[in-house]
C-alpha cells in the first residue's frame, strides 16, 4: 500500500530524486532558492525607493531598462566565459559580486545616501553579475546529475524562480514597511551566503573543451544554427513570448473588463506565476514523456489557446484560471526545453546556449509587451490578446509542420 501511494505521488508531484541523490545539487538548489527570494526583495525595494525619491512612474520604469540592457548585452558573453573558465569559480565570483552590491545598497541606505543614479548603477551591475552567474550555474547541473534526472532537476529549478518571484516582493514590501530599505538590502546580502556556500562546496567545473582557445560567442551561434532541434526550442518560445504575451495590457484589462483597480492588476500578474509554480510542483507526469519536442509544441499551443480564450472572457475568476493554465503550460514547455538543451548539447557549448536562453527569456517578453501594446492601441485589448493567442497557435503549428525531426525527438536518443 505504501509503495503504491509513493508511486502515485511520483506520477503527480515533482520528482525529488535529484535532491535526494546529490548533495551538491541539493545545496545548489537550496542556495539558489534563498538567493532568488532575496533578489525579489531587493527588486521591489529599489522600485519603491526610486518612486519615493522621484515620485515618477517613468523613473521606476527605467529600473527595468537598466536591468534589461546589461542582461541582454552580457548574456551571450557570460555564456562564452562559462565555456572557457572554471564554472565553479565564475559562479563564486559573480555571486560574491551580487552580495557586495546588495551590501553597498544597505550601507548607502544606512548612511542616508539616497541618489537615483546610484540605484540605477547598482541595478545595472547586478544584471551583469546575473548574466555571468546564470550560464555557469545552469551548465553545472548536467555535471552533478545523470541524464535521466535532468528533467526532474529542471522542474525543481522552475520552482526556484517562480517561488522567488511570488514570495520575494511580498516579503520585501513587508520588511521595507516595518524596518526600512536598509534592512531589506541587508537581508538580501546575507541571503547570498547560502548560494556562496553551495558554490564553495562544489568540485572544480572546468568545461570539457577539445582545444585551449577561448570559447567564442560566434562559434556558439554557428553551433546553434546547425542543430535544428535545439534551434526549435528557442523558436517555439518566441512564438509564445512575442505573439501572445498580454502582460502589458493587464492594467487596462483590469479596469475595462473587470471594473477593478491596482489590486485586480496584481491578481492578473500573479495568476500566471501561480500556474507556473503549480507546473513545477505537479510535474511528475512528465517523467513518462519521451518525445520532448512534441511536448513542447503542445505546451506552447496550450499557452496560446489559454491566452486567446482569456481575451474573450469577462469573468474575473475565469480569466485568472485561464492565465494560471497558461503559466502551467509555459513551465511545462520550459522544463522540456531546458532538458533538451542540457542533454543534447555537448558540455563545451552549454554555457553559450544558456546565454542565448537568457537573451530569449529576457528579450522575448519585452518584444511581446511592445507588440501587444501597439496592437491594442490600434485596435483594442481584446483583439490584441485573442489575436495574439491565435497567432501563437498558428505559428507553433507551422513550426510543427516544418520541424518533423523536432516532433520525433526522443529523450532516449537525443539528437541536437
Amino acid at each position: 500500500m505504501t509503495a503504491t501511494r509513493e508511486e502515485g505521488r511520483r506520477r503527480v508531484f515533482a520528482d525529488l530524486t535529484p535532491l535526494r541523490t546529490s548533495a551538491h545539487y541539493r545545496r545548489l538548489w537550496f542556495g539558489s532558492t534563498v538567493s532568488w527570494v532575496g533578489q525579489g526583495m531587493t527588486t521591489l525595494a529599489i522600485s519603491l525607493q526610486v518612486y519615493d525619491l522621484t515620485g515618477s512612474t517613468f523613473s521606476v520604469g527605467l529600473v527595468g531598462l537598466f536591468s534589461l540592457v546589461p542582461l541582454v548585452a552580457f548574456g551571450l558573453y557570460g555564456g562564452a566565459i562559462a565555456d572557457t573558465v572554471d564554472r565553479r569559480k565564475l559562479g563564486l565570483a559573480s555571486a560574491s559580486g551580487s552580495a557586495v552590491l546588495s551590501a553597498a545598497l544597505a550601507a548607502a541606505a544606512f548612511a542616508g545616501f539616497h541618489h537615483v543614479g546610484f540605484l540605477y548603477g547598482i541595478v545595472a551591475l547586478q544584471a551583469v553579475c546575473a548574466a555571468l552567474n546564470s550560464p555557469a550555474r545552469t551548465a553545472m547541473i548536467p555535471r552533478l546529475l545523470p541524464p535521466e534526472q535532468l528533467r526532474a532537476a529542471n522542474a525543481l529549478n522552475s520552482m526556484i524562480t517562480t517561488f522567488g518571484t511570488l514570495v520575494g516582493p511580498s516579503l520585501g514590501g513587508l520588511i521595507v514597511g516595518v524596518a526600512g530599505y536598509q534592512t531589506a538590502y541587508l537581508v538580501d546580502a546575507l541571503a547570498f551566503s547560502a548560494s556562496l556556500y553551495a558554490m564553495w562546496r562544489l568540485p572544480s567545473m572546468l568545461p570539457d573543451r577539445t582545444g585551449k582557445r577561448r570559447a567564442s560567442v560566434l562559434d556558439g551561434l554557428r553551433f546553434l544554427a546547425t542543430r535544428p532541434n535545439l534551434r526549435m526550442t528557442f523558436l517555439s518560445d518566441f512564438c509564445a513570448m512575442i505573439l501572445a504575451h498580454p502582460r502589458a495590457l493587464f492594467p487596462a484589462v483590469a479596469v475595462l473588463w473587470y471594473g477593478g483597480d491596482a489590486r485586480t492588476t496584481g491578481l492578473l500578474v500573479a495568476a500566471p506565476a501561480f500556474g507556473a509554480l503549480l507546473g513545477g510542483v505537479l510535474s511528475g507526469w512528465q517523467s513518462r514523456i519521451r518525445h520532448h519536442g512534441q511536448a513542447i509544441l503542445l505546451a506552447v499551443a496550450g499557452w496560446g489557446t489559454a491566452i486567446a480564450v482569456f481575451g474573450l472572457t469577462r469573468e474575473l475568476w475565469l480569466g485568472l484560471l485561464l492565465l494560471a493554465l497558461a503559466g502551467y503550460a509555459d513551465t511545462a514547455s520550459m522544463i522540456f526545453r531546458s532538458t533538451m538543451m542540457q542533454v543534447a548539447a555537448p558540455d563545451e557549448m552549454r554555457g553559450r546556449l544558456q546565454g542565448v536562453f537568457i537573451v530569449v527569456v529576457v528579450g522575448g517578453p519585452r518584444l511581446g509587451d511592445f507588440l501587444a501594446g501597439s496592437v491594442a492601441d490600434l485596435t483594442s485589448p481584446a483583439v490584441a490578446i485573442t489575436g495574439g493567442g491565435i497567432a501563437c497557435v498558428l505559428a507553433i503549428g507551422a513550426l510543427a509542420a516544418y520541424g518533423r525531426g523536432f516532433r520525433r525527438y526522443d529523450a532516449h536518443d537525443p539528437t541536437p
Side-chain angles (χ1 to χ4, degrees):
M1 183 70 70
T2 302
T4 302
R5 284 199 300 266
E6 177 65 16
E7 181 66 24
R9 188 201 67 79
R10 289 181 179 178
R11 293 190 177 199
V12 176
F13 295 102
D15 184 359
L16 303 181
T17 301
L19 294 174
R20 289 196 294 262
T21 59
S22 173
H24 288 310
Y25 175 76
R26 183 167 59 249
R27 285 190 290 265
L28 193 64
W29 185 86
F30 177 77
S32 297
T33 301
V34 175
S35 297
W36 266 95
V37 172
Q39 291 170 68
M41 292 169 46
T42 291
T43 298
L44 180 75
I46 288 177
S47 296
L48 291 174
Q49 189 173 9
V50 168
Y51 187 74
D52 281 349
L53 292 173
T54 65
S56 167
T57 55
F58 175 78
S59 298
V60 176
L62 286 178
V63 173
L65 183 63
F66 276 95
S67 176
L68 171 64
V69 173
L71 276 173
V72 173
F74 284 88
L76 294 175
Y77 290 100
I81 295 172
D83 285 340
T84 302
V85 304
D86 187 337
R87 290 161 178 163
R88 171 184 173 272
K89 292 181 179 178
L90 179 59
L92 273 172
S94 52
S96 298
S98 295
V100 169
L101 291 169
S102 293
L105 284 171
F110 276 115
F113 183 76
H114 303 300
H115 291 275
V116 174
F118 171 75
L119 297 176
Y120 287 155
I122 293 292
V123 166
L125 291 174
Q126 285 177 328
V128 172
C129 290
L132 296 174
N133 185 269
S134 181
R137 187 179 65 250
T138 304
M140 293 176 188
I141 295 175
R143 301 276 289 271
L144 301 176
L145 298 168
E148 62 270 16
Q149 292 185 20
L150 289 178
R151 186 215 55 83
N154 285 314
L156 294 169
N157 292 342
S158 73
M159 295 163 59
I160 294 175
T161 55
T162 310
F163 183 78
T165 301
L166 287 172
V167 175
S170 302
L171 188 59
L174 178 64
I175 292 177
V176 168
V178 173
Y181 299 112
Q182 64 275 10
T183 305
Y185 298 142
L186 183 59
V187 171
D188 182 26
L190 295 175
F192 274 105
S193 61
S195 181
L196 289 171
Y197 174 74
M199 294 278 186
W200 182 263
R201 293 290 302 273
L202 290 173
S204 176
M205 287 282 178
L206 283 167
D208 294 333
R209 292 183 52 77
T210 54
K212 295 183 179 180
R213 187 168 60 92
R214 181 181 180 86
S216 165
V217 172
L218 291 178
D219 286 345
L221 295 176
R222 292 190 192 101
F223 173 83
L224 185 60
T226 59
R227 301 303 190 275
N229 287 335
L230 292 178
R231 189 170 64 246
M232 282 282 287
T233 64
F234 294 105
L235 294 176
S236 61
D237 191 44
F238 270 136
C239 290
M241 294 298 100
I242 296 179
L243 298 176
H245 197 260
R247 181 182 58 189
L249 305 181
F250 285 165
V253 164
V255 176
L256 297 176
W257 294 2
Y258 306 121
D261 52 19
R263 288 172 295 182
T264 309
T265 303
L267 290 175
L268 294 173
V269 172
F274 179 74
L277 182 60
L278 286 181
V281 174
L282 305 177
S283 59
W285 60 272
Q286 296 175 7
S287 63
R288 301 188 295 278
I289 304 298
R290 288 180 55 176
H291 297 287
H292 290 185
Q294 291 182 15
I296 292 169
L297 294 170
L298 290 172
V300 175
W303 163 279
T305 301
I307 295 300
V309 179
F310 167 71
L312 299 175
T313 183
R314 297 298 180 268
E315 294 289 339
L316 180 58
W317 68 269
L318 182 56
L320 295 175
L321 176 62
L322 289 165
L323 290 175
L325 290 173
Y328 185 96
D330 183 49
T331 293
S333 168
M334 185 277 296
I335 291 170
F336 287 119
R337 285 185 290 109
S338 298
T339 303
M340 284 182 63
M341 187 169 62
Q342 292 171 338
V343 174
D347 182 71
E348 64 176 325
M349 288 290 175
R350 285 173 180 151
R352 278 166 286 184
L353 290 181
Q354 180 62 24
V356 177
F357 183 82
I358 290 175
V359 173
V360 171
V361 169
V362 173
R366 270 65 179 189
L367 291 174
D369 288 342
F370 174 76
L371 179 62
S374 300
V375 174
D377 190 52
L378 293 172
T379 56
S380 69
V383 171
I385 294 173
T386 298
I390 294 173
C392 172
V393 174
L394 293 176
I396 204 67
L399 285 180
Y402 166 77
R404 287 176 292 181
F406 188 67
R407 298 199 309 269
R408 294 194 297 265
Y409 177 91
D410 189 340
H412 293 180
D413 184 25
T415 302

